[in-house]
Amino acid sequence: YRLFHLTGAIPRQMEWHYHTFHKIVMFLSEGASYGIEGRSYPLESGDLVLVRSGCIHRPEVTPGTPYERLILYISPEFLRRRSTPGCDLETCFRLAQDEFRFVVRPAGRSREFTRVLLELEKACEEADFGQELLSDALFFQFLIVVSRGMTSRSLAYAPSGAGDEK
């Protein structure tokens, strides 16, 4: 996995694309949407966008508008290797894809999720004792809490707006 904290504006509208890895975007700005699998989801600050490997997607931000986000790129193979029989670490991505619940709206818990991701960002940048284990622990904590919230349905989801069946 790799974590990026990006704050710059997008210079032009991005094209639809997909990746061979999973992606989670924590949106930290206002006034954007995210297109996934032909549907558009208006975003609020703190929303989590879950994009499974192979899903067609794109951010929908007016070019030049400030766009702050934390992005995790995650290897599906890494998750499979680290999963256990009682803990499939790809659960949140499978649920997002199967149930078209791509945008999680943590509402009152967004600070908790933001805190863990910012701690992960700090841990990834450190070259201190136990850096790799601490980073992995924070990463797995984040994935497990998101998956628990999705399986228990204790997290809300953003409804999609416009759609394009193509």
Side-chain angles (χ1 to χ4, degrees), residues 7 9 29 61 64 73 83 99 101 105 107 117 135 137 144 151-152 163:
T7 56
S29 299
V61 181
Y73 289 163
S83 291
E99 301 178 13
R101 297 190 297 166
R105 185 154 286 158
L117 286 178
S135 296
I144 289 168
T151 56
S152 70

Side-chain angles (χ1 to χ4, degrees), residues 27 37 147:
F27 185 66
E37 294 292 314
S147 293

Side-chain angles (χ1 to χ4, degrees), residues 111-148:
R111 281 193 173 145
E112 172 190 354
F113 292 127
T114 305
R115 180 190 54 77
V116 173
L117 286 178
L118 291 175
E119 285 180 21
L120 175 59
E121 178 182 33
K122 182 180 175 194
C124 288
E125 292 171 352
E126 293 176 343
D128 208 350
F129 177 81
Q131 178 270 335
E132 186 177 346
L133 287 176
L134 178 59
S135 296
D136 286 354
L138 290 164
F139 171 74
F140 293 132
Q141 175 188 0
F142 177 76
L143 269 187
I144 289 168
V145 170
V146 170
S147 293
R148 281 182 176 180

Side-chain angles (χ1 to χ4, degrees), residues 4-142:
F4 303 92
H5 189 161
L6 304 174
T7 56
I10 294 176
R12 59 179 164 56
Q13 180 65 37
M14 291 188 72
E15 296 297 321
W16 291 97
H17 63 281
Y18 66 92
H19 305 285
T20 58
F21 50 83
H22 301 314
K23 178 163 79 169
I24 297 178
V25 179
M26 174 172 257
F27 185 66
L28 299 172
S29 299
E30 295 289 337
S33 296
Y34 214 90
I36 307 172
E37 294 292 314
R39 295 183 185 175
S40 182
Y41 296 84
L43 299 176
E44 296 178 3
S45 183
D47 283 352
L48 298 174
V49 180
L50 301 155
V51 182
R52 190 174 185 169
S53 169
C55 271
I56 298 172
H57 64 281
R58 72 174 181 187
E60 297 170 340
V61 181
T62 303
T65 302
Y67 178 48
E68 184 177 5
R69 65 265 186 217
L70 290 162
I71 302 174
L72 273 168
Y73 289 163
I74 307 162
S75 162
E77 183 55 36
F78 173 72
L79 293 184
R80 284 185 211 109
R81 281 194 322 266
R82 299 302 297 266
S83 291
T84 66
C87 182
D88 177 2
L89 293 170
E90 290 187 285
T91 295
C92 59
F93 298 105
R94 185 177 33 77
L95 289 172
Q97 179 81 37
D98 293 349
E99 301 178 13
F100 270 75
R101 297 190 297 166
F102 295 107
V103 179
V104 175
R105 185 154 286 158
R109 296 180 67 188
S110 65
R111 281 193 173 145
E112 172 190 354
F113 292 127
T114 305
R115 180 190 54 77
V116 173
L117 286 178
L118 291 175
E119 285 180 21
L120 175 59
E121 178 182 33
K122 182 180 175 194
C124 288
E125 292 171 352
E126 293 176 343
D128 208 350
F129 177 81
Q131 178 270 335
E132 186 177 346
L133 287 176
L134 178 59
S135 296
D136 286 354
L138 290 164
F139 171 74
F140 293 132
Q141 175 188 0
F142 177 76

